[in-house]
Amino acid sequence: ATLAIALLAYALGLDWLQRRWPRRSIGRAVAFLGIIGVAVTLMGTVLIFNPLWAAADVGETPVFNGLLWVYGVPALLVGGLGWRWWTVRPQLAVAAVCSALGLLALLMLLEIRHWFHPTSMDRGMAGDAEHYSYSVAAILFGAGLMAGGIIGRQARLRQAALAVIAVAVCKVFLFDAAALQGLYRVASFFGLGLALIGLGYVYQRLVVNPA
């Protein structure tokens, strides 16, 4: 994670330099370092050393633990590269933004897992409260993306929000209906219904038929 952060930070620094002292060679170096930094993050911390299956000590403090450094900081740096590339390298920008959103979603899920299993994220069955928390987090994440897409007038971000919400809906109907018991099941369906009604109203009011 630290290696990836160094590469991404170096890429952002060179990008800042390239904007003030335009050189094609610097631009190529920015793209190269950014791609390598994203690759190190995805291959290293997401696939190989993911605490869900690789025993890792990220600390026992909720939220403010090693997960923020491993996934949160790279997500911000990758998102920064995507924002800088939006007008000059649109294809790389889309890939960077998607990677950043994926890292943020993974960070959110891992923080929930850490909350319920602070010392053994790779072991232990998930209970009803944990399953319900994933559903709530997915809906809130989709709502946040929708708000960002509406405020920033970014159709792709709104489409990403709809995809996340669709995944949350599928989880509630296909998994929560069978896995959750009692009040958790009721709360899951009730919360999903309220969220869909609210998001539908906002989307209709601000996107389809804006005032």
Side-chain angles (χ1 to χ4, degrees), residues 10-32:
Y10 194 20
L12 279 172
L14 286 179
D15 183 76
W16 178 86
L17 179 64
Q18 198 267 342
R19 296 296 179 95
R20 286 154 181 77
W21 190 47
R23 292 293 186 276
R24 185 174 298 179
S25 59
I26 298 179
R28 288 196 293 263
V30 171
F32 177 76

Side-chain angles (χ1 to χ4, degrees), residues 4-90:
I5 289 170
L7 290 169
L8 294 169
Y10 194 20
L12 279 172
L14 286 179
D15 183 76
W16 178 86
L17 179 64
Q18 198 267 342
R19 296 296 179 95
R20 286 154 181 77
W21 190 47
R23 292 293 186 276
R24 185 174 298 179
S25 59
I26 298 179
R28 288 196 293 263
V30 171
F32 177 76
L33 289 172
I35 292 172
I36 295 299
V38 172
V40 170
T41 300
L42 296 181
M43 293 297 296
T45 59
V46 175
L47 295 179
I48 299 176
F49 298 109
N50 193 312
L52 287 179
W53 50 77
D57 182 10
V58 298
E60 298 185 21
T61 304
V63 182
F64 298 101
N65 47 58
L67 295 173
L68 285 180
W69 176 257
V70 175
Y71 299 99
V73 176
L76 293 178
L77 294 176
V78 173
L81 282 175
W83 177 72
R84 299 285 289 183
W85 287 343
W86 200 254
T87 56
V88 294
R89 296 185 178 89

Side-chain angles (χ1 to χ4, degrees), residues 26-194:
I26 298 179
R28 288 196 293 263
V30 171
F32 177 76
L33 289 172
I35 292 172
I36 295 299
V38 172
V40 170
T41 300
L42 296 181
M43 293 297 296
T45 59
V46 175
L47 295 179
I48 299 176
F49 298 109
N50 193 312
L52 287 179
W53 50 77
D57 182 10
V58 298
E60 298 185 21
T61 304
V63 182
F64 298 101
N65 47 58
L67 295 173
L68 285 180
W69 176 257
V70 175
Y71 299 99
V73 176
L76 293 178
L77 294 176
V78 173
L81 282 175
W83 177 72
R84 299 285 289 183
W85 287 343
W86 200 254
T87 56
V88 294
R89 296 185 178 89
Q91 293 181 337
L92 284 179
V94 171
V97 170
C98 289
S99 298
L101 293 177
L103 288 172
L104 287 177
L106 179 60
L107 172 64
M108 175 185 66
L109 297 178
L110 289 176
E111 288 286 6
I112 293 174
R113 178 68 178 175
H114 180 269
W115 179 276
F116 289 96
H117 304 273
T119 59
S120 56
M121 296 178 64
D122 59 326
R123 298 188 303 274
M125 297 295 294
D128 284 353
E130 185 176 347
H131 284 304
Y132 180 67
S133 298
Y134 291 133
S135 300
V136 172
I139 294 173
L140 292 178
F141 188 69
L145 291 180
M146 182 65 71
I150 293 174
I151 295 173
R153 297 181 179 179
Q154 296 293 331
R156 289 176 177 174
L157 201 56
R158 296 196 298 268
Q159 293 167 1
L162 293 176
V164 172
I165 294 170
V167 171
V169 170
C170 291
K171 179 182 182 298
V172 171
F173 281 100
L174 298 179
F175 185 82
D176 290 359
L180 297 182
Q181 302 294 328
L183 292 178
Y184 283 113
R185 181 185 296 179
V186 175
S188 181
F189 281 97
F190 184 71
L192 176 64
L194 289 180

